[in-house]
Amino acid sequence: MSKIHIVKEIYIYPIKSLAGISCQQAFAEEMGFENDRRWMLIDTENLHITQREYPILSQFYPQISEGKISITFEDYKHEFSVDEYINQPIDTKVWEDKSEVFEVNKESSKWFSKHLGFECKLVKIMKIGDRKHESSRLKETFNVSLADGYPYLLVGTKSLDFLNEKLVDKITVLRFRPNIVVNSANPHEEDHFDTFTIGEVQFKNIKPCGRCIMVNNDPQKGIIKKEPLKTLSTYRKVDNSVLFGTNIVSLNSGIISVGDAVVF
């Protein structure tokens, strides 16, 4: 058991591309943590909406309590039930992956449309298998949620420390939207993790995560800048990807908690 690799932080992102929620523990499922990226916003063409085009999405803050999700944006607030949906399937895509989703309710869609300034719908993925993602590296297909690719993203603390040493304006790990942050001994050693256990759950590393312009969005202000992608690209560019953090999948369900050791 490693005395170094300890879970420092856990995050879920209930609605794709909105702000996340810091958790002391979370229930891991095949598709990702419970309630992680089970919802997203789609436009009038049923295409997913992200911070890449609308950095203001980082200013919408969710909370989950007693079976309800509340969203705060500036001085406005909206609430809906985690079990709520309209039983009319909608065909959509997350990048190249087809998915079936359901609109939560008309009121939620109207609320987001009003505050974003364009028509959109809040939708939910309902069950395992409604979206599948194929790993070109492993030639294996995974059941996933509405995350960009894989169910979980893990980041080591030394990777962020190493980057911040090179930046004038320091950043937090929130730029990279991790699910699991672990204390690490060396920068980017998480790239080379294989199979490991945290709490009740065994995880498998799939591949380092290629990053996009979204990491340049300051989550506290909703403003896109040039960093940290510019600096990362000077030492973390592989082929056409700039890597930070690693994509993992869970091999079983169970609870992990802040303070749990990573067992290799």
Side-chain angles (χ1 to χ4, degrees), residues 163 166 227-237 242:
L163 171 60
K166 304 173 185 301
E227 294 288 10
L229 204 57
K230 180 181 177 181
T231 295
L232 268 178
S233 65
T234 64
Y235 69 99
R236 289 290 292 170
K237 191 169 185 178
V242 178

Side-chain angles (χ1 to χ4, degrees), residues 30-32 128-133 141-145 151 249:
E30 181 180 358
M31 292 169 64
I128 293 176
D130 281 351
R131 178 185 167 217
K132 297 179 181 295
H133 179 72
T141 300
F142 298 94
N143 292 314
V144 296
S145 65
V249 297

Side-chain angles (χ1 to χ4, degrees), residues 2-245:
S2 171
K3 294 182 180 180
I4 296 173
H5 300 92
I6 305 295
V7 175
K8 181 183 179 184
E9 299 166 65
I10 297 172
Y11 296 94
I12 64 170
Y13 308 86
I15 303 176
K16 181 180 180 67
S17 246
L18 271 60
I21 301 173
S22 175
C23 308
Q24 285 301 300
Q25 67 175 210
F27 186 77
E29 301 174 324
E30 181 180 358
M31 292 169 64
F33 285 135
E34 182 181 17
N35 292 322
D36 182 49
R37 285 167 291 201
R38 300 302 199 269
W39 295 265
M40 71 176 180
L41 294 166
I42 59 174
D43 62 18
T44 54
E45 296 181 353
N46 294 341
L47 299 176
H48 69 281
I49 294 167
T50 76
Q51 286 185 35
R52 294 168 183 87
E53 300 82 23
Y54 304 101
I56 195 174
L57 290 174
S58 67
Q59 306 304 291
F60 289 77
Y61 297 93
Q63 289 295 330
I64 300 179
S65 179
E66 298 179 349
K68 292 186 177 181
I69 297 181
S70 61
I71 309 293
T72 302
F73 172 68
E74 296 177 345
D75 294 328
Y76 304 95
K77 195 169 183 176
H78 179 73
E79 189 176 78
F80 60 91
S81 169
V82 296
D83 297 323
E84 207 170 344
Y85 70 98
I86 298 171
N87 194 18
Q88 294 175 352
I90 298 170
D91 292 325
T92 186
K93 278 185 174 183
V94 176
W95 305 120
E96 298 304 315
D97 303 334
K98 294 180 179 178
S99 180
E100 183 179 80
V101 294
F102 295 81
E103 186 173 12
V104 171
N105 61 52
K106 297 298 182 183
E107 292 72 24
S108 293
S109 296
K110 288 178 181 177
W111 188 84
F112 278 103
S113 297
K114 175 183 177 182
H115 292 293
L116 288 172
F118 58 88
E119 187 176 346
C120 60
K121 291 179 181 177
L122 178 66
V123 298
K124 179 183 182 182
I125 189 169
M126 293 299 298
K127 62 183 186 299
I128 293 176
D130 281 351
R131 178 185 167 217
K132 297 179 181 295
H133 179 72
E134 182 179 351
S135 167
S136 57
R137 179 177 178 179
L138 298 180
K139 305 300 181 185
E140 187 175 349
T141 300
F142 298 94
N143 292 314
V144 296
S145 65
L146 300 172
D148 271 1
Y150 295 92
Y152 300 91
L153 179 76
L154 183 144
V155 170
T157 55
K158 288 297 182 182
S159 302
L160 181 66
D161 292 345
F162 189 67
L163 171 60
N164 270 328
E165 288 173 6
K166 304 173 185 301
L167 296 176
V168 174
D169 297 321
K170 313 306 180 187
I171 62 172
T172 72
V173 78
L174 297 180
R175 288 291 184 104
F176 300 98
R177 299 175 68 81
N179 293 108
I180 304 169
V181 180
V182 299
N183 289 320
S184 55
N186 300 294
H188 307 293
E189 63 180 293
E190 62 268 24
D191 291 3
H192 309 291
F193 288 2
D194 186 10
T195 301
F196 55 94
T197 299
I198 300 174
E200 301 174 348
V201 186
Q202 188 175 40
F203 293 95
K204 180 180 180 180
N205 191 14
I206 302 299
K207 69 178 186 66
C209 182
R211 310 315 300 228
C212 68
I213 194 172
M214 192 163 152
V215 302
N216 285 350
N217 185 26
D218 183 340
Q220 294 181 319
K221 298 178 180 178
I223 298 173
I224 291 182
K225 303 178 181 179
K226 292 183 179 180
E227 294 288 10
L229 204 57
K230 180 181 177 181
T231 295
L232 268 178
S233 65
T234 64
Y235 69 99
R236 289 290 292 170
K237 191 169 185 178
V238 178
D239 297 326
N240 291 320
S241 293
V242 178
L243 307 178
F244 193 95

